[in-house]
Amino acid sequence: MEKFKYMEKYGYEQLCFFNHTPTGLKAIVCIHNTVLGPALGGTRVWNYATEDEAIEDVLRLGRGMTYKSALAGLPLGGGKAVVIGDYKEIRKNPTRREAFWRAFGRYIEGMSGRYITAEDVGTSTQDMVYVSMETPNVVGLPGRSGDPSPYTALGVFNSMKACCKHVFGDNSTKGKTVAIQGVGNVGYNLCKYLHDEGAKMIVSDIDKERVERVVKEFGAEVVGDNEIYGANSDIFAPCALGAAVNDTTIPQFKCKIICGGANNVLKEPSVHGKALMDKGITYAVDYLANAGGVINVSYELADGGYNEQASLRDIEQIYFRMHDILRISAETGKPTHETADKMAEDRIEAVKNIKSIMTRR
């Protein structure tokens, strides 16, 4: 991978590699853009097949966070961290787990506040507690905003309702069939919201314990990991890893809406966003749909401290932002991801321009 060429093409600022042999920590932090403020993005633990795969993932995720914060109206830039490894192995030994995450925290502290981390796939609030022992540049802590997953799921649910209003004329998911790919923290909480409103659920996950939980609690139907794309559903909700919409999966979709909690759902946005539009499938732009978590943790950074009610009010606005994107997309004939990208880029450019004004402190 030609890293500098890729970074120059998409406007990245920084890519950092952390190695700590005693704990086995191998991490990469990407800072995409800090025009709106310090880069905020969670830390993901995953068993990447290669280092290049990890680098590509953190770059794509970091850029997505810039657009997510911009469209959510937050005073924050975009960044992300990935850790190469197995989160279950890290958690096996409590002593190693503490040292592992405190080492990571030391590296984050060395970035002087340019990057603020939080939970993501494979990390927990306890992991962030260890990180916070070495740096204040971490959010999603117990006793403050806590686990962002329920708030991410709420934002997805609000987006789904906006899509239902746009497609079916009614913003309720009652009676709709939703195929959910991945029922981890976000997917599980999304199932709760859908179940409470009377939706039917078809689910898949590589972790069979997670599947058994949603079957027992919500009466979900189970299909194989590769069968979820072609399930007979009104809505497909990708809540696992990215690139769920690609050349192979698009011909299989029977749904009218794609709206989930995963990041980078479109493998190639310029290709697959238009392909969904041509097929008559409404796509809820992922970085807006899943913005509830970052909105919630951002309130730990606000003056006066964490305020859940203020956070919930902001998360409600996702419905209206998604509604606007769907409306403008329909009026202009442009795919929803292009519409959302322009809205985010316009805000970044506007703030960038006012920063040329000199002030005294």
Side-chain angles (χ1 to χ4, degrees), residues 56-265:
E56 183 177 2
D57 199 31
V58 77
L59 287 168
R60 284 169 59 90
L61 290 166
R63 183 167 176 250
M65 289 303 302
T66 294
Y67 283 73
K68 185 181 299 190
S69 290
L71 205 57
L74 300 176
L76 295 164
K80 202 77 172 184
V82 300
V83 172
I84 301 172
D86 184 334
Y87 75 91
K88 291 182 179 179
E89 289 297 320
I90 296 168
R91 293 179 187 178
K92 273 185 179 179
N93 184 322
T95 301
R96 183 209 171 194
R97 181 182 182 183
E98 177 184 354
F100 186 96
W101 288 113
R102 290 184 70 170
F104 180 72
R106 297 282 285 183
Y107 287 120
I108 298 303
E109 177 64 9
M111 298 184 76
S112 303
R114 280 176 51 76
Y115 171 66
I116 301 167
T117 198
E119 296 92 331
D120 199 86
V121 175
T123 53
S124 69
T125 52
Q126 182 55 54
D127 297 327
M128 295 304 109
V129 168
Y130 291 137
V131 173
S132 73
M133 292 178 181
E134 303 298 334
T135 181
N137 298 311
V138 54
V139 290
L141 296 169
R144 299 182 193 174
S145 69
D147 180 5
S149 301
Y151 303 93
T152 301
L154 179 59
V156 174
F157 184 60
N158 288 341
S159 297
M160 205 173 277
K161 290 168 75 68
C163 291
C164 285
K165 178 69 174 177
H166 180 77
V167 174
F168 303 116
D170 181 351
N171 69 7
S172 175
T173 60
K174 184 177 181 179
K176 303 292 189 298
T177 299
V178 185
I180 305 168
Q181 180 193 41
V183 286
N185 292 335
V186 173
Y188 170 78
N189 282 285
L190 179 61
C191 285
K192 289 198 326 191
Y193 290 120
L194 290 167
H195 178 263
D196 289 347
E197 196 167 74
K200 301 174 184 177
M201 288 165 282
I202 302 170
V203 302
S204 72
D205 196 296
I206 58 175
D207 189 324
K208 301 312 172 189
E209 290 182 9
R210 293 173 176 173
V211 169
E212 289 170 5
R213 180 170 65 162
V214 297
V215 169
K216 182 179 178 180
E217 294 186 26
F218 310 123
E221 177 188 342
V222 182
V223 297
D225 295 337
N226 293 322
E227 296 170 355
I228 194 73
Y229 305 107
N232 287 311
S233 64
D234 299 294
I235 305 165
F236 173 61
C239 295
L241 297 183
V245 175
N246 54 59
D247 290 340
T248 302
T249 60
I250 288 175
Q252 300 178 53
F253 291 132
K254 299 182 177 75
C255 58
K256 292 292 184 183
I257 296 167
I258 294 180
C259 176
N263 291 303
N264 299 318
V265 169

Side-chain angles (χ1 to χ4, degrees), residues 259-282:
C259 176
N263 291 303
N264 299 318
V265 169
L266 304 176
K267 185 173 182 179
E268 295 291 342
S270 61
V271 175
H272 300 123
K274 185 176 185 306
L276 289 181
M277 192 176 207
D278 291 344
K279 194 170 180 176
I281 297 175
T282 294

